[in-house]
């Protein structure tokens, strides 16, 4: 075979590979963390409320959003969020003398299934309420505080509501009458490191809102992510970029030319 033919064949074979656009460099897979979130359970809670000095109780319905925390730890104070709005066209009325200045709402959550932990309580601010007026519920979330003595799993439900100037001296006391129909939400308390997570399953009429904070960890999903535009690709194994192809092509031509020269020289050597 003559040398020019060898060069032509090699160029035809190598040229397309050198001029082909490079593939994107693969980015190494990165483990993903799934941020755990607190879960909000909504229930319509029916109350029977008794007022000091009045013989006739009141029946009211309150839509309660109870937010159960995740990452609770034994020996560390935790917060359960409480938010209530009247439902079913009902509203709790103040006494005939009105509510005293500085009166507050005292909200409770019942906790069962864990020794030494039975409830959480929090205080909501109320404005001035006149005689027999409907008592407006706090618009802000009320933080119910409690501390679990040990790790374990408990269930949480909305509980009583009281109104007055002191938690131990309520003027109005509201007790739950449909407790068996309310959603029981799991509360998982971990060790002192605070690694507990919420793994319960809701029943009844609950609506969960992910406020994305769950400390569960998830390994990588196996997806390969492309480097964002404007960022440097750090993965190995990628092909040469546009700036490197001319150098590769030039080097290959020089190598092929040298091979051709050796073949020509060999043919001219006398036998």
């Amino acid at each position: 075979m003559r040398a020019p033919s060898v060069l032509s064949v090699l160029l035809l074979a190598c040229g397309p590979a050198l001029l082909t656009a490079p593939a994107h460099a693969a980015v190494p897979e990165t483990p993903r963390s799934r941020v755990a979130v607190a879960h909000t359970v909504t229930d319509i809670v029916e109350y029977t409320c008794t007022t000091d000095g009045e013989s006739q109780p009141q029946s009211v319905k309150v839509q309660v959003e109870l937010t159960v925390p995740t990452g609770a730890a034994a020996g560390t104070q935790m917060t359960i969020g409480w938010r209530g709005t009247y439902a079913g066209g009902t509203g709790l009325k103040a006494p005939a003398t009105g509510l005293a200045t500085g009166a507050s709402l005292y909200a409770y959550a019942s906790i069962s299934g864990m020794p030494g932990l039975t409830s959480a309580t929090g205080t909501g601010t109320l404005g001035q309420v006149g005689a027999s007026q409907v008592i407006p519920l706090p618009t802000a979330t009320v933080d119910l505080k409690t501390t679990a003595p040990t790790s374990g799993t408990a269930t949480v439900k909305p509980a009583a509501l009281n109104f007055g100037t002191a938690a131990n001296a309520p003027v109005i006391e509201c007790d739950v009458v449909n407790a068996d129909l309310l959603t029981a939400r799991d509360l998982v308390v971990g060790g002192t490191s605070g690694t507990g997570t919420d793994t319960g399953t809701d029943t009844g009429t609950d609506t969960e809102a992910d406020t994305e904070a769950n400390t569960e960890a998830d390994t990588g999903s196996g997806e390969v992510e492309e480097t964002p535009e404007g960022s440097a690709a750090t993965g190995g194994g990628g092909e040469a970029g546009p700036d490197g192809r001319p150098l590769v092509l030039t080097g290959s031509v020089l190598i092929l030319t040298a091979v051709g020269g050796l073949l020509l020289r060999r043919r001219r050597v006398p036998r």
Side-chain angles (χ1 to χ4, degrees):
M1 181 182 294
R2 292 180 298 171
S5 298
V6 174
L7 290 174
S8 300
V9 172
L10 292 176
L11 285 173
L12 288 174
C14 299
L18 294 172
L19 297 176
T20 302
H24 291 291
V27 177
E29 296 179 10
T30 305
R32 298 183 178 185
S33 297
R34 186 175 52 191
V35 178
V37 298
H39 297 279
T40 300
V41 180
T42 302
D43 271 312
I44 302 297
V45 186
E46 298 178 10
Y47 291 99
T48 294
C49 303
T50 58
T51 305
D52 284 352
E54 298 182 6
S55 59
Q56 187 65 34
Q58 301 182 62
S59 296
V60 296
K61 294 181 180 180
V62 179
Q63 178 176 296
V64 175
E65 297 177 1
L66 205 61
T67 303
V68 180
T70 59
T76 302
Q77 189 179 69
M78 72 183 80
T79 299
I80 299 173
W82 185 97
R83 187 184 179 107
T85 54
Y86 291 118
T90 63
L92 179 65
K93 293 183 179 181
T97 56
L99 278 181
T101 301
S104 300
L105 170 145
Y106 301 95
Y108 296 86
S110 64
I111 303 175
S112 57
M114 182 176 292
L117 183 63
T118 59
S119 65
T121 182
T123 304
T125 302
L126 299 175
Q128 188 67 37
V129 183
S132 300
Q133 291 183 344
V134 173
I135 302 172
L137 299 177
T139 56
T141 299
V142 178
D143 292 336
L144 313 186
K145 303 289 187 179
T146 191
T147 301
T150 60
S151 60
T153 301
T155 56
V156 182
K157 288 184 178 182
L161 291 178
N162 291 338
F163 299 82
T165 55
N168 59 356
V171 175
I172 302 175
E173 298 180 74
C174 298
D175 296 321
V176 179
V177 297
N178 64 335
D180 293 341
L181 302 179
L182 301 180
T183 302
R185 189 64 175 131
D186 279 1
L187 170 66
V188 179
V189 180
T192 55
S193 60
T195 56
T197 56
D198 190 356
T199 59
T201 301
D202 287 349
T203 58
T205 58
D206 80 298
T207 57
E208 297 189 4
D210 288 335
T211 57
E212 281 331 303
N214 241 9
T215 50
E216 304 169 342
D218 225 347
T219 56
S221 62
E223 298 177 2
V224 178
E225 300 178 2
E226 294 187 2
T227 302
E229 184 176 354
S231 300
T234 57
E239 296 182 9
D243 293 338
R245 288 199 301 270
L247 295 176
V248 175
L249 180 59
T250 301
S252 300
V253 171
L254 291 175
I255 293 173
L256 295 175
T257 302
V259 172
L262 291 174
L263 292 175
L264 288 173
R265 181 180 178 185
R266 182 178 180 182
R267 292 177 60 88
R268 292 174 183 172
V269 174
R271 297 181 179 276

